[in-house]
Amino acid sequence: MTPDYTNGKGNNSKTTNSSASSLLSWYASDPRLADLFEILKPETFREGSLPRIHLGGLVGSSAALVAAAVFNHIPVVHLLVLADKESAVYFSNDLENLLGESEQGFHKKRVLLYPTSYKRPYEVEKTDNSNVLMRTEVLKRISTRAKDALVITYPEALSEKVVTKKYLEKATMKLKKGETVDLDFMYDLLDEYGFDRVDFVAEPGQIALRGGIIDVFSYTNDNPYRIEFSGDVVDSIRSFDPASQLSVDRLDHITIVPNVQNRELQEKRESLLEFMPKESVLWLFDTSMTIDRLELEFLKAEKAFSNLAGTIDHLEPKELFIGKEEFQRQITGFPTIEFGKHPMFKVSFHLGFSMSPQPSFNKNFDMLLANLTENSNQQIRNVILADSPKQVERIYAIIDDLIKNRAIEEELDYAIINLSLHEGFVDRDLKLACYTDHQIFERYHKFHLTESFSGKQAITLKELYDLKPGDYVTHIDHGVGRYDGLEKINNNGKWQEAIRIIYSHDDLLYVSIHSLHRISKYSGKEGYVPSLDRLGSNAWNKLKAKTKARVKDIAKDLIKLYAERRAADGFGFTPDTYLQHELEASFIYEDTPDQVKSTLDVKRDMEASHPMDRLVCGDVGFGKTEIAIRAAFKAVTDSKQVALL
């Protein structure tokens, strides 16, 4: 069975992400994996004969393709232990892209990254809440809901023990709409579980109480929950964006879990291997190296604990971290797949692959073209993987132009897929050459971590936390006032948090936290003290009207200027050539969405028949120079001079 690829000769049609599933299906039907599927069939787990399998010769991202194919055929919990965090994240990204999960929210994925809980292990400090959220979600998924998951981890993360299933179940609060719950009891229980009381929740482990509403940020969801009570009955449950305070989803039931990684918990702990279901498969990238790393981490823990006498004296390193003897004993309880050069233990089944790494082309497309032609002559299918649709277009344009310019008559069999994998490879058995565009152009391949709460904190909330009584703020309807802190007020029988603003003549305005978008911090000339507006007066409205009129006058002048410029004749540059495509494809970093838009706007202006007038603005390091180089190169290829000041 072969994937449904598009022949690339003289053909600029693009292959969509469906080709990723075709590529995956090719490995799923690979005769070499048929024996592996048979060995790992469900009966294996029930019979108790646990095989140890070695996969040799896998190169680059082919290991992720094989793992994804095995997972699709055997949908149980697969724990994959990579060499280090970077390798684990790249492997996780490959699996997400192959299985089409890169756009899903973390709690909906089957591919789950299991990181360390601390920024700097073995130091008594605040945990990294984003990492703890991911770890806790993995524990919940493999213990209750999902029995099919790909969990990617690395020795440092695996070395940290976790709470037992029994404690996790005990510490999990389940809540559903219509249920009768004592509001005060729930609030006190969450407080007992270690949730911090705050005015506004912004990260996991926080709760806020306002009248009959509890906001709580659990460690198993990437958005906090807002639970509204009618008496003692749960009236509604919503997840919401902490930045805007707006609802995201309406929910019928939720689970709330505290920080189960807290070292101060005097609970029995076990390794992640003990936590996993019995019907699981363990993958080890390099068993001997993993064991050595675990031993090194354990020695670090012992040394750190010896320097922290009395701080956590109720615990010992062996209670919090796994040692190599414990690890070696526990891995015998699972079917194990070792993939690497040399297996550490005696194997019951060996599967060898005939593969080699992607050749180095040094950004030379003539060398690439010669290699693709040679592969075609040997009946090897060429597949180029591009990280973005724009990159697909560029590579098609470059290859097509080269074929025409070199007058190549040979049939060139190739396809370009919008699929991001970390490293290319050549599989001689399947006669497949799978190349990545970032390796062809020596571009930096950036890995992507799942977006979490830390990446989308509210600017308005941050500003509110930074505000001090006496700071000046501007309300869109009432003008400039002085911030005077937060206050709980009774609104129609319900207590709620509000922002207190003082105006001229000591007038007071209370603004609900749900209207934060109507307030901004006052910005003006440094050192200038603004005068306070008066509530109810027309001065603020007059100022807004005067400002609008002035803006209209400026707009009229600009429109007149632009009309004159549009009527003038200018030089229209020709559309992009393959040289332009080759230059742009060679940049080592992937374009940001703003760079893509700015580049297209600049080129559209340059190709128009009237003079160009465009200013590109951006912070330092955001890629303005790359846009300027592209515009300069476009001008030079049309025999024009460029001045760079």
Side-chain angles (χ1 to χ4, degrees):
M1 178 178 178
T2 58
D4 180 19
Y5 291 135
T6 304
N7 188 306
K9 187 177 189 306
N11 185 351
N12 282 336
S13 63
K14 298 162 188 61
T15 319
T16 64
N17 271 328
S18 62
S19 296
S21 60
S22 298
L23 185 63
L24 187 56
S25 68
W26 202 0
Y27 273 88
S29 59
D30 184 353
R32 295 173 298 184
L33 297 183
D35 291 337
L36 185 61
F37 296 154
E38 180 65 22
I39 291 173
L40 292 174
K41 61 187 179 181
E43 290 77 9
T44 302
F45 303 103
R46 292 193 288 270
E47 292 170 359
S49 54
L50 304 176
R52 188 173 297 279
I53 301 161
H54 178 249
L55 306 182
L58 292 173
V59 173
S61 292
S62 64
L65 269 164
V66 170
V70 172
F71 173 71
N72 278 340
H73 201 85
I74 306 155
V76 296
V77 173
H78 293 252
L79 177 66
L80 298 96
V81 184
L82 277 293
D84 51 46
K85 180 179 179 180
E86 185 175 281
S87 302
V89 178
Y90 277 124
F91 202 95
S92 175
N93 285 176
D94 283 352
L95 288 172
E96 287 174 352
N97 294 329
L98 286 168
L99 296 173
E101 298 195 346
S102 56
E103 300 301 320
Q104 295 184 30
F106 184 78
H107 62 289
K108 297 178 181 178
K109 289 184 177 182
R110 294 174 298 165
V111 180
L112 306 172
L113 182 67
Y114 187 77
T116 58
S117 60
Y118 287 80
K119 295 177 182 176
R120 295 184 294 277
Y122 318 119
E123 295 183 15
V124 178
E125 62 173 354
K126 183 178 172 67
T127 56
D128 184 330
N129 277 329
S130 181
N131 285 358
V132 173
L133 189 150
M134 287 193 278
R135 285 174 68 91
T136 309
E137 177 64 16
V138 168
L139 297 182
K140 286 294 293 180
R141 292 283 293 279
I142 66 177
S143 65
T144 54
R145 288 185 293 166
K147 297 302 181 184
D148 58 331
L150 280 159
V151 181
I152 321 299
T153 189
Y154 46 98
E156 290 85 352
L158 189 63
S159 70
E160 291 183 54
K161 288 188 175 181
V162 299
V163 295
T164 62
K165 288 184 182 180
K166 184 177 179 180
Y167 177 78
L168 182 62
E169 186 176 349
K170 170 190 167 186
T172 300
M173 178 183 289
K174 298 179 180 179
L175 205 64
K176 59 183 179 181
K177 185 179 176 182
E179 186 177 3
T180 301
V181 180
D182 185 273
L183 179 62
D184 293 331
F185 170 77
M186 177 181 171
Y187 190 63
D188 291 340
L189 184 62
L190 291 173
D191 185 52
E192 188 179 316
Y193 277 158
F195 282 83
D196 296 326
R197 301 188 183 197
V198 294
D199 294 321
F200 304 98
V201 297
E203 60 181 57
Q206 294 180 336
I207 50 172
L209 177 63
R210 293 186 300 277
I213 297 176
I214 286 184
D215 289 348
V216 55
F217 210 141
S218 170
Y219 276 93
T220 51
N221 196 49
D222 44 10
N223 277 317
Y225 299 123
R226 177 161 291 152
I227 307 156
E228 190 166 358
F229 286 82
S230 178
D232 286 339
V233 178
V234 178
D235 193 43
S236 68
I237 305 174
R238 293 169 286 167
S239 62
F240 68 96
D241 184 346
S244 63
Q245 297 288 305
L246 298 178
S247 298
V248 176
D249 289 313
R250 291 189 175 274
L251 306 165
D252 292 326
H253 59 276
I254 57 172
T255 57
I256 302 171
V257 179
N259 180 4
V260 295
Q261 293 295 144
N262 187 349
R263 286 183 181 173
E264 299 306 314
L265 286 175
Q266 298 187 34
E267 294 291 334
K268 182 183 176 184
R269 295 170 187 257
E270 58 189 17
S271 76
L272 181 63
L273 293 174
E274 292 177 277
F275 204 97
M276 289 168 55
K278 292 181 180 179
E279 298 78 16
S280 302
V281 178
L282 177 63
W283 297 64
L284 297 170
F285 174 73
D286 187 320
T287 309
S288 60
M289 184 177 66
T290 298
I291 290 174
D292 290 342
R293 292 287 288 272
L294 286 171
E295 179 67 6
L296 179 62
E297 296 303 311
F298 191 80
L299 293 175
K300 285 181 183 177
E302 285 188 320
K303 182 178 178 180
F305 273 53
S306 67
N307 297 329
L308 295 170
T311 308
I312 42 179
D313 53 8
H314 62 280
L315 293 173
E316 296 180 12
K318 65 181 181 181
E319 295 181 67
L320 292 177
F321 304 97
I322 184 173
K324 71 174 184 180
E325 292 82 7
E326 192 176 354
F327 175 73
Q328 287 176 287
R329 185 176 69 254
Q330 290 172 1
I331 62 176
T332 59
F334 299 96
T336 306
I337 300 175
E338 293 185 70
F339 53 112
K341 291 184 179 179
H342 306 291
M344 181 175 178
F345 301 108
K346 183 179 179 181
V347 299
S348 53
F349 178 71
H350 172 80
L351 177 58
F353 293 83
S354 178
M355 293 190 181
S356 60
Q358 174 175 331
S360 176
F361 298 109
N362 300 313
K363 306 180 185 180
N364 188 323
F365 261 83
D366 284 316
M367 190 183 296
L368 172 65
L369 203 60
N371 181 268
L372 297 179
T373 303
E374 182 183 351
N375 287 344
S376 293
N377 293 337
Q378 296 178 13
Q379 302 301 309
I380 296 175
R381 178 83 65 166
N382 296 302
V383 179
I384 299 176
L385 308 177
D387 292 343
S388 66
K390 183 66 178 175
Q391 198 75 344
V392 171
E393 294 177 12
R394 288 171 179 160
I395 298 173
Y396 264 123
I398 293 167
I399 293 179
D400 281 355
D401 282 340
L402 283 174
I403 290 174
K404 293 173 185 175
N405 293 338
R406 305 297 190 273
I408 296 174
E409 297 297 332
E410 296 177 79
E411 185 77 10
L412 181 60
D413 183 16
Y414 75 101
I416 305 175
I417 301 174
N418 178 202
L419 172 67
S420 178
L421 293 183
H422 184 47
E423 292 180 318
F425 57 91
V426 180
D427 189 335
R428 296 184 184 84
D429 292 332
L430 282 185
K431 290 192 172 296
L432 169 68
C434 199
Y435 300 157
T436 68
D437 69 316
H438 51 266
Q439 286 178 280
I440 292 172
F441 292 106
E442 298 177 1
R443 290 159 57 95
Y444 174 72
H445 189 224
K446 182 180 179 182
F447 59 71
H448 299 278
L449 286 170
T450 302
E451 182 185 357
S452 66
F453 69 92
S454 58
K456 52 185 179 184
Q457 295 223 3
I459 294 176
T460 50
L461 274 178
K462 280 187 175 180
E463 288 181 347
L464 183 61
Y465 285 140
D466 293 338
L467 282 177
K468 300 179 181 63
D471 288 347
Y472 293 97
V473 295
T474 303
H475 191 288
I476 192 171
D477 296 323
H478 303 291
V480 179
R482 191 170 62 246
Y483 174 71
D484 196 44
L486 296 169
E487 186 174 327
K488 287 186 178 179
I489 61 173
N490 191 319
N491 184 17
N492 295 326
K494 287 188 177 182
W495 289 94
Q496 65 178 40
E497 204 87 29
I499 299 162
R500 177 184 167 107
I501 303 176
I502 299 176
Y503 283 87
S504 179
H505 294 73
D506 290 331
D507 291 339
L508 290 179
L509 176 70
Y510 290 97
V511 181
S512 168
I513 62 161
H514 302 295
S515 299
L516 291 180
H517 60 282
R518 306 192 70 78
I519 301 171
S520 62
K521 190 171 183 178
Y522 175 82
S523 59
K525 187 176 180 181
E526 188 175 350
Y528 173 75
V529 178
S531 58
L532 301 182
D533 286 300
R534 185 173 181 180
L535 290 178
S537 74
N538 205 31
W540 177 248
N541 288 330
K542 285 182 179 179
L543 179 60
K544 287 200 295 184
K546 183 179 178 181
T547 304
K548 287 179 181 178
R550 180 62 182 142
V551 169
K552 286 182 180 179
D553 290 339
I554 295 173
K556 288 178 183 176
D557 293 339
L558 288 174
I559 290 171
K560 181 180 178 183
L561 176 64
Y562 293 154
E564 292 173 355
R565 183 169 281 137
R566 183 59 64 94
D569 291 331
F571 180 82
F573 290 87
T574 57
D576 290 353
T577 64
Y578 83 94
L579 289 173
Q580 184 81 24
H581 290 303
E582 192 167 341
L583 169 81
E584 295 182 5
S586 69
F587 286 119
I588 64 171
Y589 295 106
E590 184 180 339
D591 295 347
T592 66
D594 287 340
Q595 276 184 304
V596 172
K597 183 180 183 304
S598 297
T599 301
L600 291 174
D601 290 342
V602 168
K603 288 180 180 178
R604 186 174 61 248
D605 285 355
M606 292 179 70
E607 293 172 11
S609 59
H610 52 78
M612 172 175 167
D613 179 34
R614 181 169 291 277
L615 175 67
V616 178
C617 300
D619 287 340
V620 174
F622 275 62
K624 300 184 297 297
T625 305
E626 284 191 8
I627 297 170
I629 289 173
R630 295 171 195 209
F633 190 81
K634 188 176 180 69
V636 170
T637 53
D638 261 5
S639 304
K640 297 295 181 182
Q641 288 184 323
V642 176
L644 181 64
L645 303 181

